[in-house]
Amino acid sequence: MKLVKSLLLGSAAGLIAVGGAQAADLPVKAKAVEYVKICSLYGAGFYYIPGTDTCIKLGGYLRAEVALGTNSVYNGAFNGAAGAHNRLSNYYTMRARQDLNIDTRTATEYGVVRTFFDATFSWTTGGYTGSGSGTGATTYSAAAGAVGNPSDGGVAGGSLGVYYAFIQFAGFTMGKAVSQFDAPWTNYPGNNFDGLVGGSGTVTGVNQFTYTADFGQGITASFSAEDATAYYQAGNLNMTGITAAGLVGGSYGSNAIGGSRSPNLVGMVRVDQAWGLFQASVAAHDNHVAYYGATETTGHPDDKWGWAVQLALSIKNIPTGAGDTINISGVYTDGATRYNFQSLAATSYTMYGSTGVLGAYQGLGIANAPDTVFVTGGSQESVKTWGFRGAYTHNWNPYWNTAIYGAYAAVNYGTLGKATICAGMVGLVGLTGNCDPNFNIGQVGLITRWTPVKNLTFSADFNWTHLDQKYSGLIASPGTASVAKPAAVYEMKDQDSFTLLLRAQRNW
């Protein structure tokens, strides 16, 4: 019995010793796991960054689309190879895009500090820039021997676009954001079409320094200094440089924009309530020209300030159905054309089509909408424009909606512009009929969207754009080699563009 007792006590002591050694290897107390906490202060989707009092939200979309009848995604066939309407024009253009945005907010004694960043990563099939001469020109490259689409980094490089990058603090907005002049729907009152005229639109943001005062009840007012160089230079044309080739290419001289001097100055008042929204915007734009000629000694015209005013109205809760909306805006500009022909819309048009005139090779419509024009030794003369755009969106049910949209813009030259341009049209290309560089652009479109599940939308957007140019008669064109147009007689004639965009988009 003594032997058995000794063995049992020895075994117990050994087990205790081993257990003690293992226990000594373990931490006394496990550290608490720091889980990500929901931040409910700023709406759904925000979380606290661990270890901080800053909330963050990630978002974006993935988009796949094809545009028919255009050399871009998504605009009209207004100029270049697209406007040529020949074997150099794309019948389709495809693109895939991923968007990523990062929104952070931090509560402080001065109010919320917010940062916002939005970037896109895109691959686009590109547009034809070869000579079309059958000599082996590279199809999608302006440089000999290049492959793929150089603007998208080559075969698989893709391209990066920075849309927004701004800080908001104590009523100030600093960085790249939508212009304070724009309506909240920017270029899109109800559409996907990028080239809508009739108002301002900086959907990709513009650098600015803005102060916004909030008076309560949905009433705000902003004053902003915004970069003029990226999106607001429609052109200051020295018409002394008019050439025959330039005229048939929709160019009325040489662009003589000088260095930056003043940002655009913008003021805005907005009323945003349950019934909808009303906004009034004004802007001032400095037209600063370099020199009349190649050197300083040639002189220069004085600066000329242009301006623009826009009114925008959104009506919600209309009787036609839940969620239906009407968005409309109207604009007038004097020497600030880009506030009507926004940055994604064309300001120069060279569109070819058919003709019924015996002896004419084709029909041709040309137009240009600069900020100002001048001649060597003279002052700048502003170009005046006005326009409007709007859309009505109807929700058939929670899964389907349709919007009909339209836009219109008119361009009017002054006495100097008309006289100088018409002297070139008659003297350089032999215009036989009416000469008037004024023109109108009319646009109508229809878009239908299907959202079978939340945040997944398929859409089809059809657009018709009509160039109503005021020239008539025939011209003797010297030809345009870049788009394979021969020297021939052309009929000056209104032109049309028809495009269709098919898109699938998943938001997250």
Side-chain angles (χ1 to χ4, degrees):
M1 291 297 292
K2 289 182 178 180
L3 177 61
V4 172
K5 184 176 181 181
S6 298
L7 290 171
L8 290 174
L9 290 173
S11 299
L15 290 171
I16 291 171
V18 171
Q22 291 177 343
D25 292 337
L26 294 174
V28 175
K29 184 178 180 181
K31 293 182 179 180
V33 177
E34 189 171 5
Y35 294 99
V36 176
K37 297 186 296 183
I38 294 174
C39 175
S40 58
L41 296 174
Y42 310 111
F46 281 92
Y47 296 86
Y48 282 101
I49 298 175
T52 75
D53 58 356
T54 297
C55 300
I56 187 170
K57 179 180 180 180
L58 302 179
Y61 62 79
L62 196 146
R63 175 186 296 170
E65 56 196 342
V66 57
L68 307 178
T70 174
N71 281 38
S72 65
V73 184
Y74 170 47
N75 220 313
F78 299 144
N79 45 48
H85 293 118
N86 59 16
R87 294 182 65 85
L88 310 188
S89 306
N90 281 358
Y91 281 8
Y92 71 90
T93 304
M94 301 180 74
R95 180 170 67 189
R97 167 174 288 176
Q98 172 66 62
D99 176 274
L100 171 66
N101 58 68
I102 305 170
D103 192 348
T104 72
R105 319 232 184 148
T106 306
T108 74
E109 58 184 309
Y110 300 100
V112 175
V113 177
R114 182 191 185 196
T115 68
F116 189 82
F117 173 77
D118 184 88
T120 61
F121 306 87
S122 305
W123 172 253
T124 310
T125 55
Y128 189 95
T129 54
S131 68
S133 62
T135 58
T138 303
T139 301
Y140 290 103
S141 170
V147 179
N149 180 5
S151 66
D152 265 352
V155 175
S159 63
L160 169 67
V162 177
Y163 278 16
Y164 310 124
F166 61 83
I167 300 170
Q168 289 182 321
F169 173 67
F172 291 94
T173 298
M174 299 157 282
K176 196 168 188 277
V178 170
S179 169
Q180 304 302 312
F181 190 92
D182 294 358
W185 50 87
T186 60
N187 309 341
Y188 311 102
N191 52 291
N192 288 338
F193 184 73
D194 289 330
L196 214 60
V197 298
S200 175
T202 52
V203 67
T204 56
V206 59
N207 280 326
Q208 61 188 268
F209 190 92
T210 299
Y211 178 73
T212 300
D214 189 339
F215 301 101
Q217 304 298 317
I219 302 173
T220 58
S222 297
F223 178 77
S224 182
E226 302 180 354
D227 180 24
T229 63
Y231 302 118
Y232 292 105
Q233 304 280 26
N236 307 122
L237 302 183
N238 186 345
M239 299 183 298
T240 302
I242 284 181
T243 65
L247 286 170
V248 299
S251 175
Y252 296 148
S254 56
N255 200 353
I257 295 173
S260 62
R261 286 297 181 271
S262 171
N264 288 355
L265 305 177
V266 177
M268 179 272 287
V269 176
R270 179 184 296 173
V271 179
D272 191 352
Q273 297 179 343
W275 58 265
L277 173 147
F278 173 78
Q279 177 177 309
S281 310
V282 295
H285 171 73
D286 180 27
N287 292 289
H288 175 74
V289 174
Y291 300 100
Y292 291 125
T295 66
E296 298 172 355
T297 57
T298 60
H300 59 83
D302 293 335
D303 286 17
K304 186 176 182 65
W305 280 87
W307 57 275
V309 59
Q310 178 175 272
L311 300 178
L313 176 67
S314 180
I315 304 175
K316 304 175 183 178
N317 302 320
I318 57 180
T320 55
D324 289 6
T325 58
I326 296 175
N327 294 327
I328 55 175
S329 62
V331 66
Y332 182 87
T333 75
D334 185 338
T337 300
R338 276 299 188 188
Y339 284 104
N340 188 352
F341 290 75
Q342 45 87 12
S343 62
L344 297 179
T347 56
S348 178
Y349 298 81
T350 308
M351 303 170 66
Y352 291 86
S354 62
T355 180
V357 175
L358 185 64
Y361 175 70
Q362 284 183 334
L364 172 62
I366 61 174
N368 193 287
D371 290 317
T372 66
V373 295
F374 63 96
V375 294
T376 297
S379 301
Q380 295 187 76
E381 179 182 75
S382 62
V383 174
K384 299 175 176 60
T385 81
W386 62 272
F388 61 87
R389 64 163 70 121
Y392 163 63
T393 301
H394 173 64
N395 293 277
W396 303 100
N397 55 47
Y399 308 102
W400 291 87
N401 72 47
T402 297
I404 183 170
Y405 64 90
Y408 186 87
V411 175
N412 297 292
Y413 284 83
T415 303
L416 173 67
K418 289 181 178 179
T420 309
I421 293 168
C422 287
M425 289 294 293
V426 174
L428 296 175
V429 294
L431 179 66
T432 63
N434 180 62
C435 184
D436 186 348
N438 295 344
F439 69 95
N440 307 318
I441 294 289
Q443 297 172 310
V444 176
L446 182 71
I447 180 171
T448 293
R449 302 177 182 90
W450 175 46
T451 306
V453 297
K454 185 178 180 180
N455 294 328
L456 175 63
T457 300
F458 301 90
S459 61
D461 187 342
F462 175 78
N463 176 270
W464 168 42
T465 297
H466 178 71
L467 169 62
D468 174 23
Q469 52 97 60
K470 305 301 182 183
Y471 299 111
S472 65
L474 304 175
I475 64 167
S477 169
T480 307
S482 62
V483 291
K485 293 299 180 181
V489 173
Y490 291 80
E491 179 194 7
M492 300 304 296
K493 185 180 179 182
D494 295 352
Q495 300 295 331
D496 299 287
S497 169
F498 300 92
T499 58
L500 174 67
L501 178 71
L502 305 175
R503 173 181 291 174
Q505 180 166 316
R506 166 70 163 140
N507 295 335
W508 57 275

